[in-house]
Amino acid sequence: MIQLLLTVGSLALMIFALVDVITSDSWKFRYLDKVSWVFIVILLPLIGSILWLIVGKQPTESQDRGTFGDPRGYESAVSQQSPQDDAASVEREIEFHEREARIRRLEAELKSKRITP
């Protein structure tokens, strides 16, 4: 009876960890990528699941965002961002504006090359 409970518990933990790995966003992973964690959880069901829950996933902190419309919640959320997050968002914004500028240049070039009757 105890062996059955341990087996079912181990299987349930593995399924939970596997679903959690598959449905997690890529920024939540630590140390390894998603595919590696899937293989670890499948090949080492109990140990891999425990490793995923303890080591592999970045902990998420619950934050009090205040009441609806309370600006203090926004300020605390902004202040908790790390400098790496800020740098990454700046890089993404720069890339976005560079792509937009390139699109505008190509559209202008295409417009100038069109033959008008």
Coordinates of all heavy atoms in Angstrom, one line a residue, residues 94-113:
I94 N 15.3 49.6 -28.8 CA 16.2 50.1 -29.8 C 16.0 49.3 -31.1 O 15.9 49.9 -32.2 CB 17.6 50.1 -29.3 CG1 17.8 51.2 -28.2 CG2 18.6 50.3 -30.4 CD1 19.2 51.1 -27.5
E95 N 16.0 48.0 -30.9 CA 15.8 47.1 -32.1 C 14.5 47.4 -32.8 O 14.5 47.4 -34.0 CB 15.9 45.7 -31.7 CG 17.3 45.2 -31.3 CD 17.3 43.8 -30.7 OE1 16.2 43.2 -30.7 OE2 18.4 43.4 -30.3
F96 N 13.5 47.6 -32.0 CA 12.2 47.9 -32.6 C 12.2 49.2 -33.4 O 11.8 49.2 -34.6 CB 11.1 48.0 -31.5 CG 9.8 48.6 -32.0 CD1 8.9 47.7 -32.7 CD2 9.4 49.9 -31.8 CE1 7.7 48.2 -33.1 CE2 8.2 50.3 -32.2 CZ 7.3 49.5 -32.9
H97 N 12.8 50.3 -32.9 CA 12.9 51.5 -33.6 C 13.8 51.4 -34.8 O 13.5 52.1 -35.8 CB 13.3 52.7 -32.7 CG 12.2 53.0 -31.7 ND1 11.0 53.6 -32.1 CD2 12.1 52.8 -30.3 CE1 10.3 53.8 -31.0 NE2 10.9 53.3 -29.9
E98 N 14.8 50.7 -34.7 CA 15.7 50.5 -35.9 C 15.0 49.7 -37.0 O 15.1 50.1 -38.2 CB 17.0 49.7 -35.5 CG 18.0 50.5 -34.7 CD 19.1 49.7 -34.2 OE1 19.1 48.4 -34.3 OE2 20.1 50.3 -33.7
R99 N 14.2 48.7 -36.6 CA 13.4 48.0 -37.7 C 12.4 49.0 -38.3 O 12.2 49.0 -39.5 CB 12.7 46.8 -37.1 CG 13.6 45.6 -36.9 CD 12.8 44.4 -36.5 NE 11.9 44.6 -35.4 CZ 12.2 44.2 -34.1 NH1 13.3 43.6 -33.9 NH2 11.3 44.4 -33.2
E100 N 11.7 49.8 -37.5 CA 10.7 50.7 -38.0 C 11.4 51.7 -38.9 O 10.8 52.1 -40.0 CB 10.0 51.5 -36.8 CG 9.1 50.6 -36.0 CD 7.9 50.1 -36.8 OE1 7.3 50.9 -37.5 OE2 7.6 48.9 -36.7
A101 N 12.6 52.3 -38.6 CA 13.3 53.2 -39.4 C 13.7 52.5 -40.8 O 13.6 53.1 -41.8 CB 14.5 53.7 -38.7
R102 N 14.1 51.3 -40.7 CA 14.5 50.6 -41.9 C 13.3 50.4 -42.8 O 13.4 50.5 -44.0 CB 15.1 49.2 -41.5 CG 15.6 48.4 -42.8 CD 16.3 47.2 -42.3 NE 16.8 46.5 -43.5 CZ 16.2 45.4 -44.0 NH1 15.1 45.0 -43.5 NH2 16.7 44.8 -45.1
I103 N 12.2 50.0 -42.2 CA 10.9 49.9 -43.0 C 10.6 51.2 -43.7 O 10.2 51.2 -44.9 CB 9.8 49.3 -42.1 CG1 10.1 47.9 -41.7 CG2 8.4 49.5 -42.8 CD1 9.1 47.3 -40.7
R104 N 10.7 52.3 -43.0 CA 10.3 53.6 -43.6 C 11.3 53.9 -44.7 O 10.9 54.4 -45.8 CB 10.4 54.7 -42.5 CG 9.1 54.7 -41.6 CD 9.1 55.9 -40.7 NE 10.2 56.1 -39.8 CZ 10.2 55.5 -38.6 NH1 9.2 54.8 -38.2 NH2 11.3 55.7 -37.8
R105 N 12.6 53.6 -44.5 CA 13.6 53.9 -45.6 C 13.3 53.0 -46.8 O 13.3 53.5 -48.0 CB 15.0 53.6 -45.1 CG 15.6 54.6 -44.3 CD 17.1 54.4 -44.1 NE 17.5 53.0 -43.8 CZ 17.7 52.6 -42.6 NH1 17.5 53.3 -41.6 NH2 18.0 51.3 -42.4
L106 N 12.9 51.8 -46.6 CA 12.6 50.9 -47.7 C 11.4 51.3 -48.4 O 11.3 51.3 -49.7 CB 12.5 49.4 -47.3 CG 13.9 48.8 -46.8 CD1 13.6 47.4 -46.2 CD2 14.8 48.7 -48.0
E107 N 10.4 51.7 -47.7 CA 9.1 52.2 -48.3 C 9.4 53.5 -49.1 O 8.8 53.6 -50.2 CB 8.1 52.5 -47.2 CG 7.5 51.2 -46.6 CD 6.5 51.5 -45.5 OE1 6.5 52.7 -45.0 OE2 5.7 50.6 -45.2
A108 N 10.2 54.4 -48.6 CA 10.5 55.6 -49.4 C 11.3 55.3 -50.6 O 11.1 55.8 -51.7 CB 11.3 56.6 -48.5
E109 N 12.2 54.3 -50.5 CA 13.0 53.9 -51.7 C 12.1 53.3 -52.7 O 12.2 53.5 -53.9 CB 14.1 52.9 -51.2 CG 15.0 52.5 -52.4 CD 16.0 51.5 -51.8 OE1 16.5 51.6 -50.7 OE2 16.4 50.5 -52.6
L110 N 11.2 52.4 -52.3 CA 10.2 51.8 -53.2 C 9.3 52.8 -53.9 O 9.1 52.7 -55.1 CB 9.4 50.8 -52.4 CG 8.4 49.9 -53.2 CD1 9.2 49.1 -54.3 CD2 7.6 49.1 -52.3
K111 N 8.9 53.8 -53.1 CA 8.0 54.8 -53.6 C 8.8 55.6 -54.7 O 8.2 56.0 -55.7 CB 7.5 55.7 -52.5 CG 6.4 56.6 -52.9 CD 5.9 57.4 -51.7 CE 4.8 58.3 -52.0 NZ 4.3 59.0 -50.9
S112 N 10.1 55.9 -54.5 CA 10.8 56.7 -55.4 C 11.1 56.0 -56.7 O 11.3 56.6 -57.7 CB 12.1 57.2 -54.8 OG 13.0 56.1 -54.5
K113 N 11.2 54.6 -56.6 CA 11.5 53.8 -57.8 C 10.3 53.5 -58.6 O 10.4 53.0 -59.7 CB 12.2 52.5 -57.4 CG 13.6 52.7 -56.9 CD 14.2 51.4 -56.6 CE 15.7 51.7 -56.1 NZ 16.4 50.4 -55.9

